[in-house]
Amino acid sequence: MKNIILLIGLFFIFSCQKEKKSKLVVPKIIQDSSLISKNKEDKLSDEEILKIQKEEEKERSQIVRKYTLSKKGNGFEYKVFCEEEKSGMINFTKVNILKSGKLFQQLKIDKDSTLVFHDYEVDFSCNEDWNFDAYNDFKLINRVGMVDQSYYLWLYDKNSGKYKFSPSFSKIINPVANKKSKEITSIYHAGPVTYYYFTYEFKKGKFVQTKAEVEGEGN
């Protein structure tokens, strides 16, 4: 009799343990959202990445401000039309030259060919003679670096009375006019110890390099 009661008790205990096990819930594993994002990013194709980059670039290139800067000289008024992008970059769309209040000539500029990031860097002049013909030319900033600059230049043509663009001048870094020798000098450095010294002369309608010297290279 005691054995029967003992067997019934063991059966009862075993049944309760089995029921408890069946009621156990397996915990749900929650994956880190940042890991999911990373996995999705890793699965992006080159075309999808390129599309995202183009959309971001389009967003940065949106025009947020348009304005005009002007100067007077040589009997003209020069108006530089500026556009500021969302990225902060400033582009020049055109330059209008007015005479007696009327449009005399328009100077066009290639889109996105300028690298200027602040209003105070927008530099242009109409009172300098760069080809030493006794007529003032029109110069407009092109690119601004930490210490180096390059410029657009339109030379005044005495025969037509208008300005002509000089592509060769845009290649000169930090140009300085020497009226006595009728030369353009260029000095700049690359790295902490290498300095470049160049001299240009205006010959046959363009600026030609006549002297070159490098100091500190390879030392």
Side-chain angles (χ1 to χ4, degrees):
M1 185 69 180
K2 289 181 179 181
N3 292 336
I4 294 173
I5 295 172
L6 180 61
L7 289 173
I8 294 172
L10 292 172
F11 178 79
F12 179 76
I13 293 170
F14 178 77
S15 300
C16 291
Q17 289 179 345
K18 188 175 180 181
E19 185 178 354
K20 286 180 180 180
K21 287 183 180 179
S22 63
K23 291 181 179 180
L24 290 176
V25 178
V26 178
K28 186 177 181 181
I29 299 174
I30 301 175
Q31 191 171 6
D32 185 8
S33 59
S34 63
L35 183 60
I36 295 173
S37 301
K38 187 178 185 304
N39 290 339
K40 287 183 178 180
E41 184 179 344
D42 291 340
K43 293 179 181 179
L44 289 176
S45 65
D46 292 340
E47 290 78 10
E48 289 172 324
I49 293 174
L50 184 61
K51 184 179 179 181
I52 292 172
Q53 290 174 342
K54 286 183 177 179
E55 289 175 351
E56 290 176 347
E57 180 63 29
K58 185 178 179 180
E59 176 72 16
R60 289 193 297 268
S61 63
Q62 289 182 3
I63 305 300
V64 295
R65 183 167 66 113
K66 295 184 179 182
Y67 59 98
T68 305
L69 300 174
S70 63
K71 284 184 182 179
K72 292 183 178 181
N74 309 315
F76 298 110
E77 181 180 6
Y78 305 86
K79 289 191 173 184
V80 179
F81 290 78
C82 307
E83 290 184 347
E84 182 179 343
E85 297 179 355
K86 195 171 183 179
S87 65
M89 182 180 290
I90 298 170
N91 278 303
F92 309 124
T93 57
K94 60 184 177 181
V95 178
N96 282 353
I97 302 177
L98 308 179
K99 189 173 185 178
S100 300
K102 296 181 180 180
L103 182 63
F104 177 75
Q105 185 181 0
Q106 186 175 90
L107 311 178
K108 294 186 177 181
I109 304 170
D110 292 336
K111 181 176 173 57
D112 299 327
S113 60
T114 303
L115 188 60
V116 179
F117 283 99
H118 305 283
D119 285 345
Y120 61 80
E121 294 177 342
V122 180
D123 175 34
F124 61 101
S125 63
C126 56
N127 58 354
E128 300 167 315
D129 177 15
W130 288 95
N131 59 344
F132 311 106
D133 63 352
Y135 291 93
N136 289 333
D137 308 307
F138 182 78
K139 184 185 72 173
L140 173 65
I141 191 70
N142 178 6
R143 293 181 179 270
V144 176
M146 293 290 289
V147 293
D148 302 322
Q149 291 84 35
S150 61
Y151 299 85
Y152 298 110
L153 180 69
W154 287 265
L155 297 169
Y156 183 78
D157 179 30
K158 62 181 179 180
N159 295 322
S160 64
K162 294 189 175 183
Y163 292 86
K164 292 185 178 180
F165 182 62
S166 175
S168 58
F169 189 84
S170 298
K171 300 175 183 178
I172 304 175
I173 300 174
N174 302 332
V176 176
N178 189 325
K179 293 183 179 181
K180 187 175 180 179
S181 62
K182 293 186 177 181
E183 294 176 329
I184 305 296
T185 58
S186 168
I187 303 175
Y188 63 96
H189 69 87
V193 296
T194 305
Y195 286 80
Y196 296 89
Y197 303 88
F198 297 106
T199 301
Y200 297 83
E201 293 182 12
F202 190 74
K203 297 180 178 180
K204 296 181 180 179
K206 62 181 181 179
F207 293 91
V208 180
Q209 187 184 109
T210 55
K211 297 177 186 176
E213 182 182 348
V214 181
E215 182 180 298
E217 189 174 41
N219 296 337

